[in-house]
Amino acid sequence: MNAVDIGCGIGAETYFMAQNGLITTGIDISEIAINLAENRYKHENMTFKCCNLQNTGVNSNSVDFVNDRGTFQHLFTDQEQLAWLKEIKRIIKPGGWLFLRGIYSENPFPHYISPTLRGTISGYILGLNKDRVTNILGNDFDIVYARKIPWINDNSKMDGYMVLARRKGNESKLSFITK
């Protein structure tokens, strides 16, 4: 089974998937993050690649599982979101899985996350919610599971949002999802 970890950062989740038997490619736009990932994690089922989301270089219809741990929430315009969806649809097999996570928000506009809420990281994000996810994925994916979750890894009072969706088409079974 092949997987892609979008916005892999320093590679922890890429490594986790490789350890669990997936042939995994971690991609990130940051050359620094990719260099850190390559130096930090080694596994025969894993590679890292520095690229942008519009041109991942991943073969079409070759991926069983796509992990997006927060990239989508940084895409503010319809054009950016549609480019993300186009690339996800291109690389993921019919019946393949998408696991999407981010900050939860009912607000339809990007909002600023201050360094006091997120440690040393600040910036704008577009929060996820059921309507936003359904609007972007609805025609191409069946949303299997979507819910608000506690946000971890910081001291903020924000909630997260998690979505598991399957691209419409053939069945694709992943042992760590179907067990």
Side-chain angles (χ1 to χ4, degrees), residues 64-94:
D64 299 287
F65 181 75
V66 172
N67 181 55
D68 181 334
R69 182 184 63 160
T71 303
F72 181 79
Q73 69 186 5
H74 294 286
L75 307 175
F76 303 136
T77 68
D78 290 344
Q79 182 179 2
E80 289 173 321
Q81 292 175 8
L82 291 172
W84 173 90
L85 180 61
K86 180 179 178 183
E87 186 65 1
I88 297 294
K89 284 182 359 188
R90 187 187 71 74
I91 67 174
I92 199 168
K93 294 176 181 177

mmCIF file of all heavy atoms in Angstrom, residues 64-94:
data_model
loop_
_atom_site.group_PDB
_atom_site.id
_atom_site.type_symbol
_atom_site.label_atom_id
_atom_site.label_comp_id
_atom_site.label_asym_id
_atom_site.label_seq_id
_atom_site.Cartn_x
_atom_site.Cartn_y
_atom_site.Cartn_z
ATOM 1 N N ASP A 64 -2.888 4.860 -1.993
ATOM 2 C CA ASP A 64 -4.012 4.278 -1.258
ATOM 3 C C ASP A 64 -4.458 5.155 -0.094
ATOM 4 O O ASP A 64 -5.608 5.089 0.328
ATOM 5 C CB ASP A 64 -3.612 2.903 -0.691
ATOM 6 C CG ASP A 64 -3.231 1.928 -1.775
ATOM 7 O OD1 ASP A 64 -4.135 1.468 -2.486
ATOM 8 O OD2 ASP A 64 -2.023 1.642 -1.921
ATOM 9 N N PHE A 65 -3.534 5.960 0.452
ATOM 10 C CA PHE A 65 -3.827 6.734 1.660
ATOM 11 C C PHE A 65 -3.080 8.061 1.602
ATOM 12 O O PHE A 65 -1.875 8.096 1.381
ATOM 13 C CB PHE A 65 -3.389 5.940 2.896
ATOM 14 C CG PHE A 65 -3.664 6.616 4.198
ATOM 15 C CD1 PHE A 65 -4.950 6.668 4.717
ATOM 16 C CD2 PHE A 65 -2.638 7.203 4.925
ATOM 17 C CE1 PHE A 65 -5.209 7.300 5.938
ATOM 18 C CE2 PHE A 65 -2.887 7.826 6.146
ATOM 19 C CZ PHE A 65 -4.177 7.873 6.649
ATOM 20 N N VAL A 66 -3.823 9.163 1.807
ATOM 21 C CA VAL A 66 -3.230 10.495 1.886
ATOM 22 C C VAL A 66 -3.500 11.049 3.284
ATOM 23 O O VAL A 66 -4.641 11.046 3.752
ATOM 24 C CB VAL A 66 -3.807 11.448 0.816
ATOM 25 C CG1 VAL A 66 -3.324 12.876 1.046
ATOM 26 C CG2 VAL A 66 -3.434 10.977 -0.586
ATOM 27 N N ASN A 67 -2.441 11.509 3.923
ATOM 28 C CA ASN A 67 -2.517 12.124 5.251
ATOM 29 C C ASN A 67 -2.239 13.618 5.106
ATOM 30 O O ASN A 67 -1.197 14.010 4.602
ATOM 31 C CB ASN A 67 -1.471 11.481 6.173
ATOM 32 C CG ASN A 67 -1.503 12.046 7.572
ATOM 33 O OD1 ASN A 67 -2.526 12.057 8.227
ATOM 34 N ND2 ASN A 67 -0.348 12.514 8.038
ATOM 35 N N ASP A 68 -3.197 14.446 5.529
ATOM 36 C CA ASP A 68 -2.999 15.893 5.541
ATOM 37 C C ASP A 68 -3.256 16.372 6.961
ATOM 38 O O ASP A 68 -4.390 16.467 7.407
ATOM 39 C CB ASP A 68 -3.952 16.591 4.569
ATOM 40 C CG ASP A 68 -3.753 18.107 4.538
ATOM 41 O OD1 ASP A 68 -3.281 18.690 5.541
ATOM 42 O OD2 ASP A 68 -4.080 18.724 3.515
ATOM 43 N N ARG A 69 -2.174 16.674 7.661
ATOM 44 C CA ARG A 69 -2.253 17.026 9.072
ATOM 45 C C ARG A 69 -2.390 18.522 9.302
ATOM 46 O O ARG A 69 -2.230 18.995 10.406
ATOM 47 C CB ARG A 69 -1.007 16.501 9.780
ATOM 48 C CG ARG A 69 -0.992 16.757 11.250
ATOM 49 C CD ARG A 69 0.284 16.299 11.841
ATOM 50 N NE ARG A 69 1.403 17.036 11.295
ATOM 51 C CZ ARG A 69 2.569 17.125 11.887
ATOM 52 N NH1 ARG A 69 2.777 16.500 13.010
ATOM 53 N NH2 ARG A 69 3.541 17.806 11.361
ATOM 54 N N GLY A 70 -2.709 19.280 8.314
ATOM 55 C CA GLY A 70 -2.885 20.708 8.553
ATOM 56 C C GLY A 70 -2.590 21.588 7.360
ATOM 57 O O GLY A 70 -2.677 22.809 7.467
ATOM 58 N N THR A 71 -2.258 21.012 6.219
ATOM 59 C CA THR A 71 -1.960 21.824 5.041
ATOM 60 C C THR A 71 -3.202 22.544 4.534
ATOM 61 O O THR A 71 -3.163 23.738 4.246
ATOM 62 C CB THR A 71 -1.358 20.952 3.922
ATOM 63 O OG1 THR A 71 -0.196 20.306 4.419
ATOM 64 C CG2 THR A 71 -1.003 21.777 2.710
ATOM 65 N N PHE A 72 -4.323 21.827 4.454
ATOM 66 C CA PHE A 72 -5.542 22.401 3.879
ATOM 67 C C PHE A 72 -5.975 23.673 4.597
ATOM 68 O O PHE A 72 -6.445 24.615 3.971
ATOM 69 C CB PHE A 72 -6.672 21.369 3.900
ATOM 70 C CG PHE A 72 -7.945 21.887 3.292
ATOM 71 C CD1 PHE A 72 -8.093 21.931 1.924
ATOM 72 C CD2 PHE A 72 -8.976 22.335 4.088
ATOM 73 C CE1 PHE A 72 -9.257 22.420 1.353
ATOM 74 C CE2 PHE A 72 -10.147 22.831 3.532
ATOM 75 C CZ PHE A 72 -10.284 22.869 2.156
ATOM 76 N N GLN A 73 -5.803 23.740 5.900
ATOM 77 C CA GLN A 73 -6.272 24.906 6.654
ATOM 78 C C GLN A 73 -5.496 26.179 6.332
ATOM 79 O O GLN A 73 -5.899 27.265 6.709
ATOM 80 C CB GLN A 73 -6.236 24.630 8.149
ATOM 81 C CG GLN A 73 -4.852 24.522 8.726
ATOM 82 C CD GLN A 73 -4.874 24.096 10.186
ATOM 83 O OE1 GLN A 73 -5.914 23.790 10.738
ATOM 84 N NE2 GLN A 73 -3.710 24.065 10.792
ATOM 85 N N HIS A 74 -4.390 26.057 5.621
ATOM 86 C CA HIS A 74 -3.607 27.227 5.227
ATOM 87 C C HIS A 74 -3.914 27.678 3.800
ATOM 88 O O HIS A 74 -3.268 28.584 3.284
ATOM 89 C CB HIS A 74 -2.114 26.951 5.381
ATOM 90 C CG HIS A 74 -1.717 26.751 6.815
ATOM 91 N ND1 HIS A 74 -1.627 27.791 7.710
ATOM 92 C CD2 HIS A 74 -1.432 25.628 7.506
ATOM 93 C CE1 HIS A 74 -1.286 27.321 8.886
ATOM 94 N NE2 HIS A 74 -1.170 26.019 8.801
ATOM 95 N N LEU A 75 -4.895 27.054 3.163
ATOM 96 C CA LEU A 75 -5.306 27.422 1.812
ATOM 97 C C LEU A 75 -6.555 28.285 1.919
ATOM 98 O O LEU A 75 -7.629 27.800 2.225
ATOM 99 C CB LEU A 75 -5.579 26.163 0.980
ATOM 100 C CG LEU A 75 -4.447 25.136 0.967
ATOM 101 C CD1 LEU A 75 -4.879 23.885 0.217
ATOM 102 C CD2 LEU A 75 -3.173 25.723 0.387
ATOM 103 N N PHE A 76 -6.424 29.576 1.650
ATOM 104 C CA PHE A 76 -7.501 30.517 1.928
ATOM 105 C C PHE A 76 -8.445 30.747 0.758
ATOM 106 O O PHE A 76 -9.614 31.006 0.944
ATOM 107 C CB PHE A 76 -6.938 31.870 2.374
ATOM 108 C CG PHE A 76 -6.055 31.774 3.577
ATOM 109 C CD1 PHE A 76 -4.865 32.455 3.634
ATOM 110 C CD2 PHE A 76 -6.408 30.982 4.664
ATOM 111 C CE1 PHE A 76 -4.051 32.378 4.747
ATOM 112 C CE2 PHE A 76 -5.600 30.888 5.777
ATOM 113 C CZ PHE A 76 -4.416 31.587 5.819
ATOM 114 N N THR A 77 -7.937 30.684 -0.450
ATOM 115 C CA THR A 77 -8.782 31.022 -1.592
ATOM 116 C C THR A 77 -9.400 29.764 -2.192
ATOM 117 O O THR A 77 -8.879 28.659 -2.045
ATOM 118 C CB THR A 77 -7.973 31.737 -2.687
ATOM 119 O OG1 THR A 77 -7.030 30.810 -3.257
ATOM 120 C CG2 THR A 77 -7.240 32.956 -2.138
ATOM 121 N N ASP A 78 -10.515 29.952 -2.875
ATOM 122 C CA ASP A 78 -11.142 28.835 -3.589
ATOM 123 C C ASP A 78 -10.166 28.221 -4.576
ATOM 124 O O ASP A 78 -10.113 27.003 -4.740
ATOM 125 C CB ASP A 78 -12.391 29.307 -4.334
ATOM 126 C CG ASP A 78 -13.537 29.660 -3.405
ATOM 127 O OD1 ASP A 78 -13.497 29.270 -2.215
ATOM 128 O OD2 ASP A 78 -14.474 30.344 -3.864
ATOM 129 N N GLN A 79 -9.372 29.061 -5.236
ATOM 130 C CA GLN A 79 -8.408 28.580 -6.223
ATOM 131 C C GLN A 79 -7.373 27.661 -5.575
ATOM 132 O O GLN A 79 -7.049 26.609 -6.109
ATOM 133 C CB GLN A 79 -7.720 29.765 -6.904
ATOM 134 C CG GLN A 79 -6.735 29.363 -7.981
ATOM 135 C CD GLN A 79 -6.087 30.568 -8.643
ATOM 136 O OE1 GLN A 79 -6.332 31.714 -8.284
ATOM 137 N NE2 GLN A 79 -5.246 30.299 -9.617
ATOM 138 N N GLU A 80 -6.861 28.041 -4.406
ATOM 139 C CA GLU A 80 -5.887 27.201 -3.705
ATOM 140 C C GLU A 80 -6.520 25.885 -3.252
ATOM 141 O O GLU A 80 -5.918 24.824 -3.368
ATOM 142 C CB GLU A 80 -5.332 27.931 -2.482
ATOM 143 C CG GLU A 80 -4.413 29.085 -2.813
ATOM 144 C CD GLU A 80 -4.031 29.876 -1.576
ATOM 145 O OE1 GLU A 80 -4.881 30.091 -0.683
ATOM 146 O OE2 GLU A 80 -2.860 30.294 -1.511
ATOM 147 N N GLN A 81 -7.744 25.951 -2.729
ATOM 148 C CA GLN A 81 -8.416 24.743 -2.274
ATOM 149 C C GLN A 81 -8.726 23.804 -3.436
ATOM 150 O O GLN A 81 -8.574 22.588 -3.318
ATOM 151 C CB GLN A 81 -9.689 25.103 -1.513
ATOM 152 C CG GLN A 81 -9.398 25.785 -0.200
ATOM 153 C CD GLN A 81 -10.649 26.251 0.506
ATOM 154 O OE1 GLN A 81 -11.768 25.948 0.109
ATOM 155 N NE2 GLN A 81 -10.472 27.004 1.585
ATOM 156 N N LEU A 82 -9.148 24.361 -4.568
ATOM 157 C CA LEU A 82 -9.429 23.518 -5.733
ATOM 158 C C LEU A 82 -8.158 22.904 -6.308
ATOM 159 O O LEU A 82 -8.172 21.767 -6.781
ATOM 160 C CB LEU A 82 -10.189 24.319 -6.794
ATOM 161 C CG LEU A 82 -11.620 24.687 -6.401
ATOM 162 C CD1 LEU A 82 -12.241 25.638 -7.427
ATOM 163 C CD2 LEU A 82 -12.477 23.446 -6.217
ATOM 164 N N ALA A 83 -7.040 23.634 -6.255
ATOM 165 C CA ALA A 83 -5.757 23.072 -6.700
ATOM 166 C C ALA A 83 -5.352 21.915 -5.794
ATOM 167 O O ALA A 83 -4.856 20.882 -6.266
ATOM 168 C CB ALA A 83 -4.681 24.148 -6.722
ATOM 169 N N TRP A 84 -5.554 22.064 -4.477
ATOM 170 C CA TRP A 84 -5.292 20.989 -3.512
ATOM 171 C C TRP A 84 -6.130 19.765 -3.858
ATOM 172 O O TRP A 84 -5.623 18.653 -3.958
ATOM 173 C CB TRP A 84 -5.609 21.506 -2.107
ATOM 174 C CG TRP A 84 -5.552 20.510 -0.997
ATOM 175 C CD1 TRP A 84 -4.453 20.199 -0.242
ATOM 176 C CD2 TRP A 84 -6.618 19.710 -0.472
ATOM 177 N NE1 TRP A 84 -4.785 19.257 0.720
ATOM 178 C CE2 TRP A 84 -6.108 18.948 0.581
ATOM 179 C CE3 TRP A 84 -7.962 19.575 -0.807
ATOM 180 C CZ2 TRP A 84 -6.887 18.062 1.314
ATOM 181 C CZ3 TRP A 84 -8.750 18.698 -0.083
ATOM 182 C CH2 TRP A 84 -8.207 17.953 0.964
ATOM 183 N N LEU A 85 -7.449 19.988 -4.052
ATOM 184 C CA LEU A 85 -8.355 18.882 -4.364
ATOM 185 C C LEU A 85 -7.977 18.206 -5.683
ATOM 186 O O LEU A 85 -7.985 16.978 -5.778
ATOM 187 C CB LEU A 85 -9.799 19.382 -4.420
ATOM 188 C CG LEU A 85 -10.845 18.316 -4.736
ATOM 189 C CD1 LEU A 85 -10.853 17.227 -3.666
ATOM 190 C CD2 LEU A 85 -12.229 18.960 -4.870
ATOM 191 N N LYS A 86 -7.622 18.989 -6.678
ATOM 192 C CA LYS A 86 -7.245 18.434 -7.987
ATOM 193 C C LYS A 86 -6.040 17.502 -7.845
ATOM 194 O O LYS A 86 -6.012 16.412 -8.411
ATOM 195 C CB LYS A 86 -6.931 19.579 -8.955
ATOM 196 C CG LYS A 86 -6.539 19.112 -10.333
ATOM 197 C CD LYS A 86 -6.258 20.302 -11.247
ATOM 198 C CE LYS A 86 -5.825 19.839 -12.617
ATOM 199 N NZ LYS A 86 -5.477 20.970 -13.485
ATOM 200 N N GLU A 87 -5.040 17.919 -7.060
ATOM 201 C CA GLU A 87 -3.848 17.078 -6.888
ATOM 202 C C GLU A 87 -4.168 15.843 -6.052
ATOM 203 O O GLU A 87 -3.705 14.740 -6.364
ATOM 204 C CB GLU A 87 -2.712 17.883 -6.269
ATOM 205 C CG GLU A 87 -1.394 17.132 -6.185
ATOM 206 C CD GLU A 87 -0.773 16.773 -7.535
ATOM 207 O OE1 GLU A 87 -1.327 17.111 -8.607
ATOM 208 O OE2 GLU A 87 0.291 16.129 -7.530
ATOM 209 N N ILE A 88 -4.980 15.989 -5.001
ATOM 210 C CA ILE A 88 -5.381 14.829 -4.197
ATOM 211 C C ILE A 88 -6.117 13.824 -5.073
ATOM 212 O O ILE A 88 -5.829 12.626 -5.043
ATOM 213 C CB ILE A 88 -6.284 15.263 -3.004
ATOM 214 C CG1 ILE A 88 -5.535 16.176 -2.053
ATOM 215 C CG2 ILE A 88 -6.859 14.044 -2.285
ATOM 216 C CD1 ILE A 88 -4.386 15.555 -1.328
ATOM 217 N N LYS A 89 -7.075 14.303 -5.868
ATOM 218 C CA LYS A 89 -7.829 13.404 -6.762
ATOM 219 C C LYS A 89 -6.917 12.752 -7.789
ATOM 220 O O LYS A 89 -7.131 11.600 -8.160
ATOM 221 C CB LYS A 89 -8.937 14.167 -7.479
ATOM 222 C CG LYS A 89 -10.117 14.444 -6.605
ATOM 223 C CD LYS A 89 -11.273 15.151 -7.291
ATOM 224 C CE LYS A 89 -11.115 15.522 -8.720
ATOM 225 N NZ LYS A 89 -12.190 16.347 -9.256
ATOM 226 N N ARG A 90 -5.923 13.471 -8.266
ATOM 227 C CA ARG A 90 -5.019 12.929 -9.285
ATOM 228 C C ARG A 90 -4.178 11.792 -8.730
ATOM 229 O O ARG A 90 -3.998 10.764 -9.374
ATOM 230 C CB ARG A 90 -4.108 14.034 -9.830
ATOM 231 C CG ARG A 90 -3.247 13.572 -11.015
ATOM 232 C CD ARG A 90 -2.231 14.625 -11.416
ATOM 233 N NE ARG A 90 -1.170 14.783 -10.443
ATOM 234 C CZ ARG A 90 -0.162 13.923 -10.258
ATOM 235 N NH1 ARG A 90 -0.084 12.808 -10.963
ATOM 236 N NH2 ARG A 90 0.776 14.169 -9.347
ATOM 237 N N ILE A 91 -3.669 11.930 -7.512
ATOM 238 C CA ILE A 91 -2.731 10.933 -6.993
ATOM 239 C C ILE A 91 -3.413 9.768 -6.284
ATOM 240 O O ILE A 91 -2.899 8.661 -6.286
ATOM 241 C CB ILE A 91 -1.667 11.566 -6.075
ATOM 242 C CG1 ILE A 91 -2.256 12.114 -4.777
ATOM 243 C CG2 ILE A 91 -0.870 12.626 -6.842
ATOM 244 C CD1 ILE A 91 -1.231 12.624 -3.777
ATOM 245 N N ILE A 92 -4.579 9.990 -5.683
ATOM 246 C CA ILE A 92 -5.217 8.953 -4.886
ATOM 247 C C ILE A 92 -6.038 8.021 -5.780
ATOM 248 O O ILE A 92 -6.707 8.465 -6.698
ATOM 249 C CB ILE A 92 -6.071 9.574 -3.756
ATOM 250 C CG1 ILE A 92 -6.360 8.565 -2.660
ATOM 251 C CG2 ILE A 92 -7.354 10.167 -4.296
ATOM 252 C CD1 ILE A 92 -6.937 9.198 -1.392
ATOM 253 N N LYS A 93 -5.932 6.736 -5.513
ATOM 254 C CA LYS A 93 -6.689 5.740 -6.275
ATOM 255 C C LYS A 93 -8.175 5.874 -5.980
ATOM 256 O O LYS A 93 -8.555 6.232 -4.859
ATOM 257 C CB LYS A 93 -6.265 4.327 -5.862
ATOM 258 C CG LYS A 93 -4.862 3.950 -6.195
ATOM 259 C CD LYS A 93 -4.562 2.564 -5.649
ATOM 260 C CE LYS A 93 -3.140 2.156 -5.946
ATOM 261 N NZ LYS A 93 -2.818 0.839 -5.346
ATOM 262 N N PRO A 94 -9.035 5.541 -6.949
ATOM 263 C CA PRO A 94 -10.452 5.416 -6.604
ATOM 264 C C PRO A 94 -10.592 4.397 -5.471
ATOM 265 O O PRO A 94 -9.983 3.335 -5.502
ATOM 266 C CB PRO A 94 -11.088 4.904 -7.900
ATOM 267 C CG PRO A 94 -10.155 5.391 -8.975
ATOM 268 C CD PRO A 94 -8.770 5.307 -8.369
#
